[in-house]
Amino acid sequence: MSSKVSAIKARKGFAAAKLGAAALLLIAGGIAHAGAKVDTPEPGTELAYAANGTALQPSRVDELLRIHNRYRGEVGVPPLRWSDTLAAGARDWAEKLAREGRFEHSAHNREQPQYGENLALSTGEPSATDLVELWGGEKSDFIAGARFPNIARSGDWASVGHYSQLVWRASTEVGCGIRRGAVATLLVCRYAPAGNWIGEIPY
């Protein structure tokens, strides 16, 4: 079995964290074995998208790139570029999850991981920076220079799986979708090429 096929089977995990008083749910890039109810957005509550409904506002794109590349710059890996293609897919998936009240990775990501995928769901009104910083906060448990999946001091790679995808050297593009409902905000980010491959060093 190739390391990349093994990586598909190994990608699992669910983590929880706090963002102030708001509960935040995270799924690391890969197969999820737990889910959470997503608040279904009400009409008129979408704040992140441009008037034509097809793309994030430029200011939100800049914010997402800035916070992603801050973490990448800290470890000396090249910055990510924005991908409209990845963003469109991420947006569609975020809207589908919100509409159906689910919180899980896309089937395409599980079966043929051409891209990595990080998900976050929070009650309250977090900014995109707030959400990505929670992924970045996993750095405290991350072991630099180790090979995946032995990259966490705790022994559980899923506790740092968002961060490792964030700084994965071979990933060059990112695209995200945000769905803001009446009481919750859902963030989906996709990365290409995908990270978190068994036997490889993140950077």
Side-chain angles (χ1 to χ4, degrees):
M1 180 179 293
S2 73
S3 63
K4 294 201 173 184
V5 172
S6 299
I8 300 172
K9 295 182 179 296
R11 291 179 170 194
K12 58 185 177 181
F14 181 84
K18 290 284 186 178
L19 177 61
L24 180 76
L25 302 173
L26 307 172
I27 295 181
I31 296 176
H33 287 268
K37 190 70 174 178
V38 180
D39 172 64
T40 301
E42 296 181 355
T45 59
E46 176 56 72
L47 304 179
Y49 289 95
N52 61 10
T54 60
L56 283 169
Q57 295 281 6
S59 61
R60 190 60 60 85
V61 171
D62 290 344
E63 178 187 5
L64 284 161
L65 278 176
R66 183 168 58 250
I67 186 62
H68 273 83
N69 289 330
R70 189 187 85 190
Y71 285 108
R72 292 176 69 85
E74 289 175 353
V75 297
V77 299
L80 295 171
R81 302 185 304 271
W82 187 260
S83 165
D84 289 335
T85 299
L86 290 174
R91 178 193 181 215
D92 288 347
W93 188 242
E95 292 186 342
K96 181 177 177 64
L97 291 178
R99 184 172 61 251
E100 298 179 359
R102 295 188 291 122
F103 185 54
E104 61 190 55
H105 285 287
S106 63
H108 179 80
N109 174 252
R110 294 194 300 266
E111 296 167 4
Q112 190 179 7
Q114 297 176 357
Y115 51 78
E117 187 175 77
N118 281 349
L119 277 66
L121 170 69
S122 177
T123 56
E125 298 182 357
S127 68
T129 295
D130 290 331
L131 296 173
V132 176
E133 282 184 338
L134 277 153
W135 298 340
E138 296 172 356
K139 181 179 181 178
S140 61
D141 192 39
F142 178 78
I143 302 174
R147 294 186 182 276
F148 188 87
N150 303 311
I151 59 173
R153 292 183 173 87
S154 66
D156 178 13
W157 75 266
S159 69
V160 297
H162 304 95
Y163 176 74
S164 58
Q165 173 59 86
L166 228 172
V167 298
W168 198 268
R169 180 181 293 276
S171 296
T172 59
E173 296 183 318
V174 64
C176 304
I178 299 174
R179 199 68 172 94
R180 194 183 299 277
V183 297
T185 301
L186 173 65
L187 173 66
V188 177
C189 286
R190 291 181 174 178
Y191 307 83
N196 290 355
W197 291 113
I198 286 178
E200 297 187 10
I201 299 173
Y203 61 84

